[in-house]
Amino acid sequence: MTTIDVRSADGTRLTVRREGTGDPIVLLHGSGGGLHSWDPLIAHLADSYELWIPARRGYAPSDLPPGRKSFQQEVADVTAVLVAVARPAHLVGASYGATLALHTAAAPLSPAGPATPPALRTLTVFEPPLFASGPRIAPLLDRYRDCFDRDDHAGMFAVLNEVTQVPRRIAAAFGPPTRNPAAELGWLHDLEALADDSPAFVANPAIPTLILQGADTWDPMPATIDALAAALPHARRVSWPGQSHFAPSLAPELMATALRDFFADGGSAQQGQGL
């Protein structure tokens, strides 16, 4: 494993982990994640691909946002990473990282500093929480910020459950959450971007796209993925029976197989169920 620093357009320093050799894949982690979020998947892919894993702005050891964070800033961050890769790459995102990947794919290709990033080869998104954006999130952001300022860990956790709409029975099954100050800070900045986002942003049908989901993920994610698939009718869609929003960590072999098959087929739109 090696790490490098990449500078975004506004000077924000991003720490990027690099693993493996082969065609490049840029992996965007979800909220509360970081450089090691993709460890389960890396074990299945590093033998065939060069994996680039940035810690998104707001997540150590990358810099904090200089002010209120936005998806526009984070698209610039991903663009800077793609410039550093210097070859056409596959872009993969999970959860919040999938929403960011969709934004990146839909944004006009623009220079990051003196260089223009190579075009994306493919786009893969696992369960982007498109329902968790816009005006509904604004009061939740305010409540979370208040809990954060008071170091009210239980209060922050309760707000996040409202954002993600995790059923109480599932949240209870995990027991009391472990304190992670870095993740709590990262969530604060992610909520800022989500509150200012629109759930109706435009996807890019020109990029071969793979949509992944767990068949057992709770509402409203199934309807969200249905709407995304309708907006991208040529995308390939894979649903894994018995899996939920935690599939990238709990069943990384399924995700690795789906990615390998998709890349091998050149991003064709064949539909399928998880194996």
Side-chain angles (χ1 to χ4, degrees), residues 159-185:
V159 172
L160 295 183
N161 281 343
E162 290 188 51
V163 173
T164 59
Q165 301 189 42
V166 179
R168 289 184 179 180
R169 58 180 176 78
I170 294 178
F174 282 91
T178 303
R179 285 303 303 261
N180 186 335
E184 292 168 358
L185 179 59

Side-chain angles (χ1 to χ4, degrees), residues 10 12 57-59 62-70 73 185 189 192:
D10 64 357
T12 297
R57 70 168 60 200
Y59 289 90
S62 293
D63 286 348
L64 296 176
R68 187 179 177 103
K69 193 173 79 168
S70 70
Q73 293 170 340
L185 179 59
H189 295 301
E192 291 174 342

Side-chain angles (χ1 to χ4, degrees), residues 147-240:
C147 292
F148 182 86
D149 290 342
R150 293 185 287 105
D151 198 29
D152 178 0
H153 176 60
M156 285 184 279
F157 184 69
V159 172
L160 295 183
N161 281 343
E162 290 188 51
V163 173
T164 59
Q165 301 189 42
V166 179
R168 289 184 179 180
R169 58 180 176 78
I170 294 178
F174 282 91
T178 303
R179 285 303 303 261
N180 186 335
E184 292 168 358
L185 179 59
W187 259 109
L188 174 62
H189 295 301
D190 286 355
L191 287 173
E192 291 174 342
L194 289 170
D196 293 338
D197 193 25
S198 166
F201 66 85
V202 178
N204 188 341
I207 298 175
T209 300
L210 172 63
I211 300 172
L212 302 174
Q213 67 184 112
D216 292 355
T217 300
W218 51 88
D219 293 331
M221 185 61 77
T224 300
I225 300 302
D226 287 345
L228 177 62
L232 293 167
H234 299 296
R236 178 183 298 197
R237 183 176 179 181
V238 175
S239 178
W240 298 310

Side-chain angles (χ1 to χ4, degrees), residues 64-163:
L64 296 176
R68 187 179 177 103
K69 193 173 79 168
S70 70
F71 276 106
Q72 182 178 10
Q73 293 170 340
E74 289 210 88
V75 167
D77 296 346
V78 179
T79 299
V81 173
L82 293 170
V83 167
V85 174
R87 293 179 287 157
H90 304 283
L91 183 62
V92 178
S95 195
Y96 179 106
T99 301
L100 173 57
L102 286 166
H103 274 288
T104 301
L109 197 62
S110 58
T116 299
L120 293 177
R121 294 182 65 176
T122 66
L123 170 68
T124 298
V125 292
F126 173 79
E127 297 196 352
L130 303 180
F131 59 86
S133 62
R136 184 183 79 83
I137 301 302
L140 297 177
L141 166 63
D142 292 340
R143 285 173 49 202
Y144 185 91
R145 193 187 304 277
D146 177 66
C147 292
F148 182 86
D149 290 342
R150 293 185 287 105
D151 198 29
D152 178 0
H153 176 60
M156 285 184 279
F157 184 69
V159 172
L160 295 183
N161 281 343
E162 290 188 51
V163 173

